[in-house]
Amino acid sequence: MLKNEIYKEAVNVAVIGATGYTGVELIRLLLSHPKFRIASLTADSRAGGDITDIFQHLNTYDLPKLVKVEDVNYNNIDAVFCCVPHGESQSIINNIPENVKICDLSTDFRFDDVELYEETYDRKHEAIELQKTAVYGLTEIYRDKIKKTRLVANPGCYPTSVLLPLMPLIKDGIIGQENIIVDSKSGVSGAGRTLKDSSLFTEVSDGFSAYAVTNHRHRPEIESQLVKCSNKNNIRVSFTPHLLPIKRGILSTIYIDIKDNYKLDDVKDCLKQKYDNEMFVSVLGNNIVPSTHDVRGSNFCNIGVFYDSHSNQTIIISVIDNLVKGASGQAIQNMNVMLGNEEKEGLMQGVIFP
Amino acid sequence: MLKNEIYKEAVNVAVIGATGYTGVELIRLLLSHPKFRIASLTADSRAGGDITDIFQHLNTYDLPKLVKVEDVNYNNIDAVFCCVPHGESQSIINNIPENVKICDLSTDFRFDDVELYEETYDRKHEAIELQKTAVYGLTEIYRDKIKKTRLVANPGCYPTSVLLPLMPLIKDGIIGQENIIVDSKSGVSGAGRTLKDSSLFTEVSDGFSAYAVTNHRHRPEIESQLVKCSNKNNIRVSFTPHLLPIKRGILSTIYIDIKDNYKLDDVKDCLKQKYDNEMFVSVLGNNIVPSTHDVRGSNFCNIGVFYDSHSNQTIIISVIDNLVKGASGQAIQNMNVMLGNEEKEGLMQGVIFP
Amino acid sequence: MLKNEIYKEAVNVAVIGATGYTGVELIRLLLSHPKFRIASLTADSRAGGDITDIFQHLNTYDLPKLVKVEDVNYNNIDAVFCCVPHGESQSIINNIPENVKICDLSTDFRFDDVELYEETYDRKHEAIELQKTAVYGLTEIYRDKIKKTRLVANPGCYPTSVLLPLMPLIKDGIIGQENIIVDSKSGVSGAGRTLKDSSLFTEVSDGFSAYAVTNHRHRPEIESQLVKCSNKNNIRVSFTPHLLPIKRGILSTIYIDIKDNYKLDDVKDCLKQKYDNEMFVSVLGNNIVPSTHDVRGSNFCNIGVFYDSHSNQTIIISVIDNLVKGASGQAIQNMNVMLGNEEKEGLMQGVIFP
Amino acid sequence: MLKNEIYKEAVNVAVIGATGYTGVELIRLLLSHPKFRIASLTADSRAGGDITDIFQHLNTYDLPKLVKVEDVNYNNIDAVFCCVPHGESQSIINNIPENVKICDLSTDFRFDDVELYEETYDRKHEAIELQKTAVYGLTEIYRDKIKKTRLVANPGCYPTSVLLPLMPLIKDGIIGQENIIVDSKSGVSGAGRTLKDSSLFTEVSDGFSAYAVTNHRHRPEIESQLVKCSNKNNIRVSFTPHLLPIKRGILSTIYIDIKDNYKLDDVKDCLKQKYDNEMFVSVLGNNIVPSTHDVRGSNFCNIGVFYDSHSNQTIIISVIDNLVKGASGQAIQNMNVMLGNEEKEGLMQGVIFP
């Protein structure tokens, strides 16, 4: 059995909510991270048991027993990844000692605007003071702030795929803030491990549908970030998510209008300049079409830029693995930044293909 | 073994190009059609053999041997379905006796404008006189013309999914001819049975990508029909196809602008009025999101209409089975109309779910 | 909307438990059956609603509202298909009027030996008198008895795939009753529509496992039928089921020993003689390997027989669609027999390929 | 772009035949291996191009251009992985300088018995002298010999899944050499990247079949190894492979007879003793059923042992990822052993789940 203790000098990490898909993905990535040691795993409904009772694929590793959230001993913990559903993070994180670094994977701290959070999620914000200290963890955009914060609000999976290409273009004023149409398609793991008819193999496999048309909660998250990086106070995005019969992967097809005084090359140049020195974000060459196959299991985001002269339409296509760059991978990337590790440490697993 | 001869009083049908996916799908549908008898099957490269050498699932039926196209004896044939690749239909159909009804599933006769065909497919049209007699086989739109023609050009799969919702709206002037964005997703059978890396299970399964971005050949087909039903001479559509890891099914998400003097209800009313008495096209109720699961194996087209007040965007989502309403099913529907059969005959197989 | 009433002269049918997968599959098949009219659909937890609230793919049809089991008006019912979970059928069927024909798809009436039922399912049998009248509905084997009974116990999906090839061989004494190894693989719909982790798309797709190794409840069902057709009182089968990442389909690989005085040809001859005049069961030609692809959506069972001279092992491979021949299709086949319809009526839908 | 040169002190590796699935899987694993540097990649038909022209998922890495096999400069090469089809390895490896370590992934050197190779593959062996030096690379079994050899014949995927559980049991005489039935199921990547109908998404997805019944070439490979570890000269295995609609993964269900003087616990004890200190092979606890999900993307082999007292049948189920432990992962494991690296180096990627 593989000994967790080989990492004795490492940062001690707790994963709160370890038995959801972002939790087990964190465990996968942490287990090959040279600086992190998994010191605590929580799962209230399974406290006292082993995570291998649920996930046999971890049977080779020597992992701590599952405990209740309230039973985590923070004396031994340097960093926390919080993977509980939205609405549950705020009170949990309120109770974590000041010296512990936190990356929260829920939506609970993603909105600077508390009212927008409360409206979108239809509940009171329970940690308004903490919210003021939180940094939105889109690493390539907010790296400098992430270095200095104690609390990162890890971005949503759809927003990550949309904001990485759009934020530099909005910020530089190359594209207009109108007529932004985002047609996104996500693998099923994005829906988590909750039991529902629409996640059954029999009802997903060999088919495709849209869902939450006109009212998905990731739309306000996307818009609030776009507004923040522009000097506009109003950007409206049309966002339509679809459910792909795949396990992992998001592809967003984004239709935008380039402003009159700009050309397609300006779009490409802007993105290339922004991301050329980034490890995890690639702007693909001309005519190379992004595919979720090319990022599966990895922290990469690939972006393709296309111009249809016939209809005068600019199209950006981006792909990520929703569980990695869209969740647990970006969380580790953020924690690496917060702790002064090399940003790519523990994230260099290759893409699984085929 | 099931005897084809039980259909002795039936129309004698030849399937030209029987061993592609549209060919075998026609065979599936014809075998349960009460008025048709499969009298001839062609496959040049397999002539002399049995279709069950290739497709075991037909082993229960007593089907004619495969022959070369040139060896079809048209004395016994009343109707032909032509399923050969584009560019091959024109000369074949030129040689079919006048009294035989023909439904061509290729693109060879889909363009009234021969020049547009030649430009799009980069080849000379070899049957210009025949073209003048061809009717575009979108049954619900051109039914009256189909009744009187001898040659139907069966629509492409993507165009069927796009034109059924858009043509009534364009014709009635409810939506503008600008900013029409079509984000389509198709199952792999749309690519046919050709051997290529990108159709391998290992390279399709568990992933998703766009393809032919900005230059798919179904775009001119869509535009030429939209122009025809409007009184405009220029409609530009942005069309982006994607490859779904499913066998059958197309879902098109269509972003349109309603004209100033119209409202969402006008969109719905227009489509409901058009399709309320149609067997195969349904406009779904409010908030019901179309899914390819709901049309699999059937000749149905389901259409949902949505309005996003936040971004002032109208969204239409349509689904079909690309091999049925998008190909072989619509072909039989057209042949039923040409021959005076009841339109739905042989097409009432239920949806396969799950 | 398609009118159910076109079948006015038809047999009035109730489907008890209409919202599980065998229930909706029955509806698919009944809707294209020329002699049956769906008069009543029950679903206790959804009583008062429409089945299209759950299954959009039925939106084209005019179906009765869902009612509670207790609210079925049997005055209007000629035949019942009972699709509730095992343990619930016995009391329901006890209360159905004598004149109504019944096909029960649960396990409740599959065991002549009540004690074996009680031991296998760990519950009291609640309809012992009815049990005596029940006929095991493997149509090709028990057709004559089915003609005369009022109550058919429709076979399990695995047993159907195993018994169709094995019963003739056991009966004729061609194979031994020892060393019968059945390695079966089933699609996920066999597990029904129950919500559980192991049926989630994310936990099924792109993987494969065995389950219920050494203790699956279909083993006693298989053995009791094999015993019945032999003159032995003890036949032991090793049965290992596996879960395939497919929607529909069972493939059983069966390892048997031919008795000393017989040869492979005797195996083939026995099965061919038994099934040559059967519509739904085919013994494939030499070297043709059965595939679930070849029976998808159909009531067919394909059987291949192989002999490995190297290891002196005889191998039989059989395939069915678990929802059709393994459940709802065979149920209709049995009801056709009970009612004196042509046995294949409503069951001639072609195989869905690809 | 990630610089290959960070590994400057590393062993220089050539991958011969880099554009098949085992080739790209080697590249994935090598890129995260701390001791190896990819110095040369060959692909005759693509020489002069970049591997990223074919496999976009490698676009982040700085990899050498593809060259022809004959153009590899062995002055810079310390180790070779040979991934060409069987029949091509022998002459290539004949021409590699003596100082270079070689792991051949084809079948060309897997048979000590040259005649058996020639009979099985129906071709002359072209490197009989080399054959005498080759060691069969089932690492856990032949580790000591692998340490000392220059040429490893990497095992086949099916044989790896079968031999790991069976060889210790045969060697210790716990199971008999008769009635060994192996029912194996493999993902599609096992068929390689060759274009053929039976590997198309449309013909694999949502279905399942057996293939090569009674005559698969991995059977002689399995038998020759079983004979070698026993003191018998004849062991007959019945081997039936099946094609799973998954990308990666093999599950072998193995039916064996325990010898009279042994019990189930002896089987378990034998395997536990053999593998308890092995990193990559796990004997699972009672009632835990192996699943390919639990080894996807990893070099692990999980083994479950079951006894069916009812039918007196012992069942062993083993799972591997056919591209990792069944090919490229085991190849790296072997090369680590040959070069004196820690055996697990570069192989600690976690399992991809979900």
Side-chain angles (χ1 to χ4, degrees), chain A residues 293-334:
Chain A
H293 289 288
D294 296 333
V295 298
R296 205 159 59 124
S298 82
N299 201 48
F300 297 127
C301 173
N302 285 354
I303 299 171
V305 179
F306 304 88
Y307 177 67
D308 182 357
S309 60
H310 177 85
S311 62
N312 192 27
Q313 183 68 57
T314 303
I315 303 163
I316 294 181
I317 300 175
S318 69
V319 290
I320 59 170
D321 182 324
N322 56 299
L323 287 181
V324 192
K325 186 62 177 170
S328 306
Q330 188 155 248
I332 286 177
Q333 189 182 359
N334 285 325

Short mmCIF file of all heavy atoms in Angstrom, two decimals, chain A residues 293-334:
data_model
loop_
_atom_site.label_atom_id
_atom_site.label_comp_id
_atom_site.label_asym_id
_atom_site.label_seq_id
_atom_site.Cartn_x
_atom_site.Cartn_y
_atom_site.Cartn_z
N HIS A 293 -11.43 15.97 -26.15
CA HIS A 293 -10.47 14.87 -26.13
C HIS A 293 -9.05 15.35 -25.81
O HIS A 293 -8.25 14.60 -25.26
CB HIS A 293 -10.43 14.17 -27.50
CG HIS A 293 -11.64 13.38 -27.83
ND1 HIS A 293 -11.93 12.19 -27.22
CD2 HIS A 293 -12.64 13.61 -28.70
CE1 HIS A 293 -13.07 11.71 -27.72
NE2 HIS A 293 -13.52 12.55 -28.61
N ASP A 294 -8.74 16.57 -26.20
CA ASP A 294 -7.36 17.05 -26.08
C ASP A 294 -7.02 17.59 -24.70
O ASP A 294 -5.88 18.03 -24.47
CB ASP A 294 -7.09 18.13 -27.13
CG ASP A 294 -7.19 17.58 -28.54
OD1 ASP A 294 -6.96 16.37 -28.71
OD2 ASP A 294 -7.50 18.34 -29.47
N VAL A 295 -7.98 17.61 -23.79
CA VAL A 295 -7.71 18.12 -22.44
C VAL A 295 -8.15 17.15 -21.35
O VAL A 295 -8.03 17.45 -20.16
CB VAL A 295 -8.40 19.49 -22.21
CG1 VAL A 295 -7.84 20.55 -23.17
CG2 VAL A 295 -9.91 19.39 -22.37
N ARG A 296 -8.63 16.00 -21.72
CA ARG A 296 -9.21 15.08 -20.74
C ARG A 296 -8.21 14.67 -19.65
O ARG A 296 -7.13 14.17 -19.94
CB ARG A 296 -9.74 13.83 -21.44
CG ARG A 296 -10.83 13.14 -20.65
CD ARG A 296 -11.69 12.25 -21.51
NE ARG A 296 -10.91 11.23 -22.15
CZ ARG A 296 -11.17 9.93 -22.03
NH1 ARG A 296 -12.21 9.53 -21.37
NH2 ARG A 296 -10.42 9.06 -22.64
N GLY A 297 -8.58 14.87 -18.43
CA GLY A 297 -7.73 14.49 -17.30
C GLY A 297 -6.66 15.52 -16.98
O GLY A 297 -5.89 15.33 -16.04
N SER A 298 -6.61 16.62 -17.74
CA SER A 298 -5.54 17.60 -17.56
C SER A 298 -6.07 18.96 -17.13
O SER A 298 -7.28 19.22 -17.18
CB SER A 298 -4.78 17.78 -18.87
OG SER A 298 -5.48 18.68 -19.71
N ASN A 299 -5.17 19.84 -16.74
CA ASN A 299 -5.54 21.19 -16.32
C ASN A 299 -5.50 22.19 -17.48
O ASN A 299 -5.54 23.40 -17.27
CB ASN A 299 -4.58 21.64 -15.20
CG ASN A 299 -5.14 22.77 -14.36
OD1 ASN A 299 -6.30 22.71 -13.93
ND2 ASN A 299 -4.34 23.81 -14.15
N PHE A 300 -5.45 21.68 -18.70
CA PHE A 300 -5.32 22.58 -19.85
C PHE A 300 -6.64 23.20 -20.27
O PHE A 300 -7.71 22.59 -20.12
CB PHE A 300 -4.74 21.83 -21.05
CG PHE A 300 -3.34 21.31 -20.82
CD1 PHE A 300 -3.04 19.97 -21.03
CD2 PHE A 300 -2.34 22.15 -20.38
CE1 PHE A 300 -1.76 19.48 -20.81
CE2 PHE A 300 -1.05 21.66 -20.15
CZ PHE A 300 -0.76 20.32 -20.36
N CYS A 301 -6.55 24.39 -20.82
CA CYS A 301 -7.66 25.01 -21.54
C CYS A 301 -7.15 25.34 -22.94
O CYS A 301 -6.14 26.04 -23.08
CB CYS A 301 -8.08 26.30 -20.83
SG CYS A 301 -9.31 27.26 -21.76
N ASN A 302 -7.82 24.82 -23.96
CA ASN A 302 -7.45 25.14 -25.35
C ASN A 302 -8.49 26.06 -25.96
O ASN A 302 -9.69 25.86 -25.78
CB ASN A 302 -7.36 23.85 -26.19
CG ASN A 302 -6.10 23.05 -25.89
OD1 ASN A 302 -5.25 23.48 -25.14
ND2 ASN A 302 -6.00 21.86 -26.47
N ILE A 303 -8.00 27.05 -26.68
CA ILE A 303 -8.89 28.06 -27.26
C ILE A 303 -8.63 28.18 -28.75
O ILE A 303 -7.48 28.31 -29.18
CB ILE A 303 -8.64 29.44 -26.59
CG1 ILE A 303 -8.94 29.37 -25.09
CG2 ILE A 303 -9.49 30.53 -27.26
CD1 ILE A 303 -8.52 30.61 -24.31
N GLY A 304 -9.70 28.13 -29.54
CA GLY A 304 -9.59 28.35 -30.98
C GLY A 304 -10.38 29.59 -31.38
O GLY A 304 -11.46 29.83 -30.83
N VAL A 305 -9.86 30.37 -32.32
CA VAL A 305 -10.53 31.58 -32.76
C VAL A 305 -10.82 31.46 -34.25
O VAL A 305 -9.93 31.12 -35.04
CB VAL A 305 -9.65 32.83 -32.50
CG1 VAL A 305 -10.35 34.10 -32.98
CG2 VAL A 305 -9.27 32.93 -31.03
N PHE A 306 -12.05 31.74 -34.64
CA PHE A 306 -12.48 31.57 -36.03
C PHE A 306 -13.27 32.79 -36.49
O PHE A 306 -13.99 33.41 -35.68
CB PHE A 306 -13.37 30.33 -36.16
CG PHE A 306 -12.72 29.08 -35.65
CD1 PHE A 306 -12.82 28.74 -34.31
CD2 PHE A 306 -11.96 28.29 -36.50
CE1 PHE A 306 -12.19 27.60 -33.83
CE2 PHE A 306 -11.34 27.14 -36.02
CZ PHE A 306 -11.45 26.80 -34.68
N TYR A 307 -13.15 33.10 -37.75
CA TYR A 307 -13.94 34.19 -38.30
C TYR A 307 -14.65 33.70 -39.55
O TYR A 307 -14.02 33.16 -40.47
CB TYR A 307 -13.05 35.39 -38.62
CG TYR A 307 -13.83 36.52 -39.26
CD1 TYR A 307 -14.80 37.21 -38.52
CD2 TYR A 307 -13.61 36.89 -40.58
CE1 TYR A 307 -15.54 38.23 -39.10
CE2 TYR A 307 -14.34 37.90 -41.17
CZ TYR A 307 -15.31 38.57 -40.42
OH TYR A 307 -16.04 39.58 -41.00
N ASP A 308 -15.94 33.91 -39.55
CA ASP A 308 -16.74 33.51 -40.69
C ASP A 308 -17.05 34.77 -41.51
O ASP A 308 -17.94 35.55 -41.17
CB ASP A 308 -18.04 32.88 -40.17
CG ASP A 308 -18.92 32.40 -41.32
OD1 ASP A 308 -18.54 32.61 -42.48
OD2 ASP A 308 -19.98 31.82 -41.03
N SER A 309 -16.27 34.96 -42.58
CA SER A 309 -16.41 36.19 -43.35
C SER A 309 -17.78 36.25 -44.03
O SER A 309 -18.33 37.32 -44.25
CB SER A 309 -15.30 36.28 -44.41
OG SER A 309 -15.40 35.17 -45.29
N HIS A 310 -18.31 35.09 -44.32
CA HIS A 310 -19.61 35.02 -44.98
C HIS A 310 -20.70 35.70 -44.15
O HIS A 310 -21.47 36.52 -44.66
CB HIS A 310 -19.94 33.54 -45.22
CG HIS A 310 -21.27 33.30 -45.82
ND1 HIS A 310 -21.49 33.34 -47.17
CD2 HIS A 310 -22.46 33.01 -45.25
CE1 HIS A 310 -22.76 33.09 -47.41
NE2 HIS A 310 -23.37 32.88 -46.27
N SER A 311 -20.75 35.36 -42.88
CA SER A 311 -21.79 35.93 -42.03
C SER A 311 -21.24 36.99 -41.08
O SER A 311 -21.94 37.48 -40.21
CB SER A 311 -22.46 34.82 -41.21
OG SER A 311 -21.51 34.21 -40.36
N ASN A 312 -19.98 37.32 -41.26
CA ASN A 312 -19.33 38.34 -40.42
C ASN A 312 -19.45 38.00 -38.94
O ASN A 312 -19.79 38.86 -38.12
CB ASN A 312 -19.95 39.72 -40.71
CG ASN A 312 -19.12 40.83 -40.08
OD1 ASN A 312 -17.91 40.67 -39.88
ND2 ASN A 312 -19.77 41.93 -39.75
N GLN A 313 -19.17 36.76 -38.64
CA GLN A 313 -19.34 36.29 -37.26
C GLN A 313 -18.00 35.78 -36.73
O GLN A 313 -17.33 35.00 -37.40
CB GLN A 313 -20.37 35.15 -37.22
CG GLN A 313 -20.68 34.61 -35.86
CD GLN A 313 -21.43 35.61 -34.99
OE1 GLN A 313 -22.48 36.08 -35.38
NE2 GLN A 313 -20.86 35.97 -33.86
N THR A 314 -17.63 36.24 -35.54
CA THR A 314 -16.45 35.70 -34.88
C THR A 314 -16.88 34.62 -33.89
O THR A 314 -17.86 34.80 -33.17
CB THR A 314 -15.68 36.81 -34.15
OG1 THR A 314 -15.36 37.82 -35.10
CG2 THR A 314 -14.41 36.27 -33.51
N ILE A 315 -16.15 33.54 -33.90
CA ILE A 315 -16.51 32.38 -33.08
C ILE A 315 -15.28 31.96 -32.28
O ILE A 315 -14.20 31.76 -32.85
CB ILE A 315 -16.96 31.21 -33.97
CG1 ILE A 315 -18.14 31.63 -34.85
CG2 ILE A 315 -17.33 29.99 -33.13
CD1 ILE A 315 -18.40 30.70 -36.02
N ILE A 316 -15.46 31.83 -31.00
CA ILE A 316 -14.38 31.32 -30.14
C ILE A 316 -14.86 30.01 -29.55
O ILE A 316 -15.99 29.91 -29.07
CB ILE A 316 -14.03 32.32 -29.02
CG1 ILE A 316 -13.43 33.58 -29.64
CG2 ILE A 316 -13.07 31.69 -28.03
CD1 ILE A 316 -13.03 34.62 -28.61
N ILE A 317 -14.00 29.02 -29.62
CA ILE A 317 -14.33 27.73 -29.03
C ILE A 317 -13.28 27.41 -27.98
O ILE A 317 -12.08 27.46 -28.26
CB ILE A 317 -14.38 26.63 -30.11
CG1 ILE A 317 -15.44 26.97 -31.17
CG2 ILE A 317 -14.67 25.27 -29.48
CD1 ILE A 317 -15.49 26.00 -32.33
N SER A 318 -13.74 27.10 -26.78
CA SER A 318 -12.79 26.75 -25.73
C SER A 318 -13.16 25.41 -25.12
O SER A 318 -14.33 25.04 -25.09
CB SER A 318 -12.79 27.82 -24.63
OG SER A 318 -14.01 27.79 -23.94
N VAL A 319 -12.15 24.69 -24.67
CA VAL A 319 -12.38 23.40 -24.03
C VAL A 319 -11.57 23.27 -22.76
O VAL A 319 -10.43 23.73 -22.69
CB VAL A 319 -12.02 22.20 -24.96
CG1 VAL A 319 -13.02 22.09 -26.11
CG2 VAL A 319 -10.60 22.30 -25.50
N ILE A 320 -12.19 22.64 -21.76
CA ILE A 320 -11.50 22.28 -20.53
C ILE A 320 -12.03 20.92 -20.07
O ILE A 320 -13.04 20.44 -20.57
CB ILE A 320 -11.74 23.30 -19.38
CG1 ILE A 320 -13.24 23.42 -19.07
CG2 ILE A 320 -11.13 24.66 -19.70
CD1 ILE A 320 -13.55 24.21 -17.80
N ASP A 321 -11.31 20.31 -19.13
CA ASP A 321 -11.88 19.20 -18.36
C ASP A 321 -12.57 19.84 -17.16
O ASP A 321 -11.92 20.48 -16.33
CB ASP A 321 -10.77 18.23 -17.92
CG ASP A 321 -11.31 17.03 -17.14
OD1 ASP A 321 -12.28 17.19 -16.36
OD2 ASP A 321 -10.76 15.93 -17.30
N ASN A 322 -13.89 19.68 -17.07
CA ASN A 322 -14.64 20.38 -16.02
C ASN A 322 -14.20 19.99 -14.62
O ASN A 322 -14.31 20.79 -13.70
CB ASN A 322 -16.15 20.14 -16.18
CG ASN A 322 -16.51 18.67 -16.17
OD1 ASN A 322 -16.06 17.94 -17.05
ND2 ASN A 322 -17.28 18.23 -15.20
N LEU A 323 -13.68 18.77 -14.45
CA LEU A 323 -13.25 18.36 -13.10
C LEU A 323 -11.83 18.83 -12.78
O LEU A 323 -11.43 18.81 -11.63
CB LEU A 323 -13.32 16.84 -12.95
CG LEU A 323 -14.72 16.24 -12.83
CD1 LEU A 323 -14.63 14.72 -12.66
CD2 LEU A 323 -15.49 16.85 -11.67
N VAL A 324 -11.06 19.22 -13.79
CA VAL A 324 -9.68 19.64 -13.53
C VAL A 324 -9.61 21.17 -13.62
O VAL A 324 -9.84 21.86 -12.64
CB VAL A 324 -8.69 18.93 -14.47
CG1 VAL A 324 -7.25 19.15 -13.98
CG2 VAL A 324 -8.97 17.43 -14.54
N LYS A 325 -9.36 21.72 -14.80
CA LYS A 325 -9.31 23.19 -14.88
C LYS A 325 -10.63 23.81 -14.46
O LYS A 325 -10.67 24.92 -13.92
CB LYS A 325 -8.95 23.62 -16.32
CG LYS A 325 -8.73 25.13 -16.49
CD LYS A 325 -7.57 25.69 -15.65
CE LYS A 325 -7.34 27.17 -15.92
NZ LYS A 325 -6.40 27.77 -14.96
N GLY A 326 -11.73 23.08 -14.61
CA GLY A 326 -13.02 23.59 -14.19
C GLY A 326 -13.34 23.37 -12.73
O GLY A 326 -14.41 23.78 -12.25
N ALA A 327 -12.44 22.74 -11.98
CA ALA A 327 -12.72 22.51 -10.55
C ALA A 327 -11.42 22.18 -9.79
O ALA A 327 -10.68 23.09 -9.41
CB ALA A 327 -13.76 21.41 -10.35
N SER A 328 -11.13 20.91 -9.63
CA SER A 328 -10.09 20.49 -8.68
C SER A 328 -8.67 20.86 -9.13
O SER A 328 -7.81 21.14 -8.29
CB SER A 328 -10.20 18.98 -8.44
OG SER A 328 -11.52 18.66 -8.05
N GLY A 329 -8.42 20.83 -10.41
CA GLY A 329 -7.09 21.20 -10.90
C GLY A 329 -6.81 22.67 -10.67
O GLY A 329 -5.75 23.05 -10.16
N GLN A 330 -7.77 23.50 -11.05
CA GLN A 330 -7.59 24.94 -10.81
C GLN A 330 -7.49 25.24 -9.32
O GLN A 330 -6.77 26.15 -8.90
CB GLN A 330 -8.75 25.72 -11.44
CG GLN A 330 -8.55 27.22 -11.41
CD GLN A 330 -9.31 27.96 -12.51
OE1 GLN A 330 -8.71 28.52 -13.42
NE2 GLN A 330 -10.60 27.96 -12.45
N ALA A 331 -8.19 24.46 -8.50
CA ALA A 331 -8.10 24.64 -7.05
C ALA A 331 -6.67 24.40 -6.57
O ALA A 331 -6.14 25.16 -5.75
CB ALA A 331 -9.07 23.69 -6.33
N ILE A 332 -6.05 23.35 -7.09
CA ILE A 332 -4.66 23.08 -6.70
C ILE A 332 -3.73 24.14 -7.26
O ILE A 332 -2.80 24.60 -6.59
CB ILE A 332 -4.28 21.66 -7.15
CG1 ILE A 332 -4.96 20.66 -6.22
CG2 ILE A 332 -2.77 21.46 -7.15
CD1 ILE A 332 -4.74 19.21 -6.56
N GLN A 333 -4.00 24.56 -8.49
CA GLN A 333 -3.22 25.66 -9.08
C GLN A 333 -3.29 26.89 -8.18
O GLN A 333 -2.27 27.52 -7.86
CB GLN A 333 -3.80 25.95 -10.47
CG GLN A 333 -2.99 26.92 -11.31
CD GLN A 333 -3.66 27.20 -12.67
OE1 GLN A 333 -4.72 26.65 -12.98
NE2 GLN A 333 -3.03 28.05 -13.48
N ASN A 334 -4.49 27.21 -7.71
CA ASN A 334 -4.65 28.36 -6.82
C ASN A 334 -3.93 28.16 -5.48
O ASN A 334 -3.29 29.07 -4.98
CB ASN A 334 -6.15 28.63 -6.57
CG ASN A 334 -6.81 29.27 -7.77
OD1 ASN A 334 -6.19 30.09 -8.47
ND2 ASN A 334 -8.06 28.92 -8.03
#
